[in-house]
Amino acid sequence: FPSEGTYNGLTLSGTIPGSDDEFYKLHYKHQSFFPFDDDENFVLAFRGDAMAGWGYGDTKNLPFYENYFAGGLRTVRGYRTNSLGPRFSNGDTRGGAFRYNATAEVVMKVPGFEDNNNLRWSVFMDAGNVHSKPNDVKFDDVRYSAGVSMVWLSPLGPLAFSYAHPMGSKTGDRKQKFQFSIGLPY
């Protein structure tokens, strides 16, 4: 549970020329934490990332098996995991070559458990989506959610629970207000 500081990361990955599929991907990640008080009972946290992928050489676009997905605990809570973005004609999500998401939250110690450094709850707002291509972004397609979350660093691993209200949803969006994760990073 970080309480102060900033993290910025930039990753470039891809295939070497001459590969069957030639592509490269760029991922930028940011996190900032600002404590409201000396006891770190309240921490303002901002997180966000943007991911994009392109084909080169004989590969026109990012291969489908490298597509990005959004929705769920790690991106936009309140929407089913990997359910946002472009869809196939049958309604299944196909992902895309550009993903962005951002979170603003106030992380707090649980009343009565202030001395417990393994338990926190938060009030948050998430935003994000996925688009077919990096140059095909329409920010009026952004999905939002707001809600509450609790994380317990248990002996079994992190347990994360959230209840979110999806906002800005459109026809076909798959909502899931209550979500949880056991043993996976949150």
Side-chain angles (χ1 to χ4, degrees):
F1 292 118
S3 59
E4 189 173 359
T6 300
Y7 167 84
N8 287 291
L10 184 64
T11 305
L12 176 65
S13 62
T15 60
I16 60 173
S19 299
D20 289 340
D21 288 323
E22 298 172 320
F23 63 90
Y24 62 99
K25 298 167 81 172
L26 187 62
H27 178 190
Y28 173 71
K29 182 175 185 172
H30 172 83
Q31 297 178 339
S32 290
F33 303 92
F34 305 96
F36 283 130
D37 58 0
D38 291 337
D39 294 331
E40 299 173 351
N41 290 318
F42 299 91
V43 175
L44 179 62
F46 296 105
R47 291 190 307 269
D49 66 352
M51 304 174 177
W54 297 267
Y56 71 91
D58 292 334
T59 306
K60 300 273 186 227
N61 299 308
L62 187 67
F64 72 92
Y65 57 86
E66 292 287 335
N67 277 350
Y68 299 110
F69 294 87
L73 279 173
R74 296 184 189 182
T75 55
V76 185
R77 292 168 277 196
Y79 294 91
R80 284 190 177 271
T81 301
N82 298 337
S83 68
L84 296 179
R87 301 184 183 283
F88 292 110
S89 58
N90 67 359
D92 289 345
T93 308
R94 64 180 166 94
F98 183 70
R99 181 185 102 182
Y100 56 92
N101 60 278
T103 296
E105 65 186 326
V106 177
V107 182
M108 298 161 274
K109 293 182 178 181
V110 177
F113 295 90
E114 287 88 355
D115 294 333
N116 185 335
N117 288 324
N118 295 325
L119 186 63
R120 297 285 189 276
W121 74 285
S122 68
V123 177
F124 65 84
M125 182 160 188
D126 293 340
N129 208 344
V130 174
H131 298 279
S132 296
K133 297 180 180 179
N135 59 351
D136 190 29
V137 176
K138 297 177 186 121
F139 286 106
D140 60 337
D141 284 339
V142 176
R143 300 300 191 275
Y144 303 92
S145 69
V148 295
S149 178
M150 182 168 282
V151 176
W152 175 34
L153 301 179
S154 78
L156 299 174
L159 302 178
F161 304 90
S162 88
Y163 184 83
H165 177 72
M167 298 179 289
S169 60
K170 300 202 177 177
T171 305
D173 283 349
R174 296 181 180 132
K175 301 172 193 171
Q176 186 178 45
K177 291 186 176 190
F178 177 74
Q179 296 173 316
F180 68 95
S181 169
I182 300 174
L184 297 175
Y186 49 92

